[in-house]
């Protein structure tokens, strides 16, 4: 809680790179070199501070990246690493992407492979504890892993979403919420929806968001003869997204790489079942609150997504039951709950300080 005492106990030390490096500061791929160099600068600043201040724990709190190395484990204090989820678009899926997306994702895949080789040796082995939602993350020997996400909901947001009523009526409306990019998988959602319409012509599909693939997705909807049942809502403020959840029945989230999925968590809190792929953090996040579809083989992915949607469309009782489970799981990702769990982990690291420090400088086996 941000009371007066807690504000006085927090001190921010801003770290920035020299101007010559700021050309890399960008939300695009150029941000990765900047992030890599900034981590070195931040470590050097922390090393100087560590000589003056007795730190009990050093915590790398960035959620966005798990494959570029972090250097804070070199400090002589317990190191807590927010590992996040290391996910890439499967190589075989790139055949369905535009040339632009193929190039971007292929470059990203190679970068993740190269960076991970360094990070696994430098960062993972020096971590005293790790937070992650990666279902395939291996727990290093003697290193506790907190299954925590890289996102959450405030108590105020939860209160609003948990009170949203379940829709009734014959028309079943589904939505995908997110930027219109190839890796978000909306094309697979559209293909599945087009096949679903053959049996349930009263369904609707909303695409909430904007992006470079908007034109191609509109053309695909026309080609699949489902454009009259598909609505492109475009980019809307987050407050509007929360209210849109009251107007849908199912969230379709066919993302091919997802480190968390805030839209998924919001839909779960609203009591809407989720249909997603077994990739990234989604299996850990969704669990039994929806239907998790195997991504491979890619040639029949649309059919499997359609089968999952068909089950939910024809069974309103199942939708309500999954919706109740979804709300229970969403409450576990409140910021209050995550703060509580993180505080307990801090206490554990502080109490085991001597043992952890010795292990930090020895390779984990």
């Amino acid at each position: 809680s941000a009371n007066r005492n807690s504000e006085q106990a927090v001190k921010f030390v801003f770290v920035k790179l020299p101007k010559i490096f700021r050309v890399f500061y960008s939300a695009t791929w150029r941000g990765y070199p900047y992030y890599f160099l900034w981590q070195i600068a931040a470590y050097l600043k922390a090393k100087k501070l560590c000589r003056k201040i007795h730190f009990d724990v050093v915590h790398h709190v960035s959620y966005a990246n798990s494959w570029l190395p972090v250097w804070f484990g070199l400090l002589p204090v317990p190191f807590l690493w927010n590992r996040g989820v290391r996910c890439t678009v499967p190589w075989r899926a790139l055949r369905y992407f535009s040339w632009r997306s193929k190039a971007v994702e292929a470059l990203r895949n190679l970068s993740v492979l190269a960076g991970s080789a360094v990070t696994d040796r430098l960062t993972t082995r020096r971590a005293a504890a790790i937070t992650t939602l990666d279902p395939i993350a291996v727990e290093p020997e003697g290193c506790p892993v907190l299954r925590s996400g890289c996102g959450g909901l405030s108590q105020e947001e939860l209160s609003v979403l948990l009170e949203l009523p379940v829709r009734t009526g014959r028309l079943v409306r589904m939505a995908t919420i997110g930027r219109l990019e190839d890796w978000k998988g909306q094309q697979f959602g559209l293909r599945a929806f087009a096949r679903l319409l053959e049996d349930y012509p009263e369904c609707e599909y909303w695409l909430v968001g904007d992006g470079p693939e908007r034109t191609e997705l509109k053309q695909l909807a026309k080609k699949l003869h489902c454009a009259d049942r598909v609505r492109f809502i475009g980019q809307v403020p987050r407050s509007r997204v929360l209210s849109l959840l009251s107007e849908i029945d199912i969230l379709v989230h066919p993302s091919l790489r997802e480190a968390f999925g805030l839209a998924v968590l919001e839909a779960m809190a609203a009591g809407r079942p989720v249909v997603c792929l077994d990739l990234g953090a989604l299996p850990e996040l969704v669990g039994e609150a929806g239907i998790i579809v195997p991504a491979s083989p890619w040639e029949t992915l649309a059919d499997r997504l359609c089968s999952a949607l068909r089950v939910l469309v024809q069974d309103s009782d199942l939708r309500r039951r999954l919706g109740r489970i979804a709300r229970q799981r969403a409450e576990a990702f409140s910021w209050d709950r995550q703060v509580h769990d993180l505080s307990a982990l801090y206490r554990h690291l502080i109490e085991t300080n001597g043992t952890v420090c010795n292990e930090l400088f020895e390779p984990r086996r």
Side-chain angles (χ1 to χ4, degrees):
S1 60
N3 55 41
R4 184 176 180 83
N5 291 332
S6 64
E7 289 175 355
Q8 292 176 342
V10 175
K11 182 177 180 180
F12 293 93
V13 178
F14 184 70
V15 178
K16 63 180 179 180
L17 296 179
K19 289 183 179 180
I20 190 174
F21 296 112
R22 292 179 202 169
V23 66
F24 293 114
Y25 187 77
S26 170
T28 65
W29 64 270
R30 290 184 300 169
Y32 293 127
Y34 186 91
Y35 181 86
F36 176 82
L37 295 171
W38 185 89
Q39 287 292 339
I40 298 175
Y43 161 71
L44 294 175
K45 174 66 75 172
K47 185 177 181 181
K48 289 182 180 179
L49 290 171
C50 201
R51 294 176 184 147
K52 302 177 182 178
I53 304 170
H54 177 70
F55 292 122
D56 295 301
V57 177
V58 58
H59 184 187
H60 172 258
V61 297
S62 172
Y63 295 109
N65 196 295
S66 66
W67 52 272
L68 283 176
V70 176
W71 309 87
F72 293 115
L74 298 174
L75 298 173
V77 291
F79 167 47
L80 172 57
W81 181 34
N82 277 36
R83 183 189 182 278
V85 177
R86 188 176 300 170
C87 50
T88 57
V89 172
W91 288 102
R92 291 178 64 86
L94 294 181
R95 74 178 76 173
Y96 302 100
F97 286 19
S98 66
W99 285 107
R100 167 194 165 276
S101 295
K102 282 180 182 177
V104 170
E105 294 301 326
L107 179 61
R108 184 183 182 279
N109 283 2
L110 293 172
S111 299
V112 171
L113 288 173
S116 298
V118 178
T119 300
D120 286 341
R121 295 184 63 84
L122 176 66
T123 305
T124 306
R125 294 186 180 188
R126 293 191 177 273
I130 294 172
T131 64
T132 182
L133 266 187
D134 196 334
I136 63 174
V138 178
E139 180 174 330
E141 183 179 352
C143 179
V145 174
L146 175 63
R147 292 292 171 177
S148 177
C150 56
L153 295 173
S154 69
Q155 200 57 50
E156 293 77 12
E157 292 168 332
L158 269 174
S159 298
V160 172
L161 291 170
L162 291 173
E163 293 300 321
L164 289 182
V166 176
R167 278 171 36 87
T168 58
R170 292 187 58 187
L171 186 148
V172 178
R173 184 179 293 134
M174 54 207 70
T176 295
I177 302 172
R179 185 164 170 77
L180 304 184
E181 295 266 14
D182 273 330
W183 65 269
K184 283 291 190 178
Q186 288 99 346
Q187 62 161 300
F188 295 106
L190 271 176
R191 295 181 187 278
F193 177 72
R195 298 174 191 185
L196 180 71
L197 280 181
E198 296 175 5
D199 298 323
Y200 301 93
E202 294 184 356
C203 291
E204 289 184 359
Y205 188 22
W206 289 5
L207 293 175
V208 183
D210 207 349
E213 301 303 320
R214 181 186 180 102
T215 301
E216 286 73 13
L217 289 170
K218 282 189 170 183
Q219 292 174 349
L220 179 61
K222 292 180 180 179
K223 180 180 177 181
L224 296 172
H225 308 293
C226 63
D228 59 329
R229 307 300 296 176
V230 176
R231 183 180 173 190
F232 286 83
I233 293 181
Q235 186 173 351
V236 297
R238 184 160 181 261
S239 58
R240 172 62 178 145
V241 171
L242 298 183
S243 65
L244 281 172
L245 290 172
S246 66
E247 303 178 52
I248 69 169
D249 303 284
I250 304 167
L251 183 80
V252 186
H253 199 80
S255 180
L256 308 184
R257 58 170 175 88
E258 197 69 74
F260 184 63
L262 183 58
V264 174
L265 179 59
E266 292 166 345
M268 290 167 59
R272 272 56 181 175
V274 178
V275 174
C276 65
L277 305 185
D278 60 344
L279 300 173
L282 296 175
E284 286 282 322
L285 178 60
V286 175
E288 298 178 350
I291 300 179
I292 301 172
V293 178
S296 182
W298 297 97
E299 294 78 7
T300 56
L301 175 56
D303 289 330
R304 290 192 299 281
L305 283 171
C306 179
S307 297
L309 292 174
R310 184 179 290 111
V311 169
L312 292 176
V313 167
Q314 65 188 11
D315 192 340
S316 59
D317 290 337
L318 176 61
R319 293 201 303 272
R320 285 192 289 270
R321 186 162 68 251
L322 293 180
R324 288 192 294 269
I325 297 173
R327 281 180 159 150
Q328 293 172 357
R329 289 186 65 85
E331 290 186 89
F333 289 93
S334 70
W335 285 122
D336 288 348
R337 173 69 177 273
Q338 294 189 73
V339 167
H340 175 273
D341 293 343
L342 190 59
S343 296
L345 184 54
Y346 281 159
R347 289 192 295 272
H348 168 79
L349 293 178
I350 292 171
E351 290 168 1
T352 60
N353 180 67
T355 303
V356 173
C357 279
N358 291 332
E359 291 181 355
L360 281 172
F361 299 99
E362 298 177 1
R364 295 189 182 277
R365 298 178 180 179

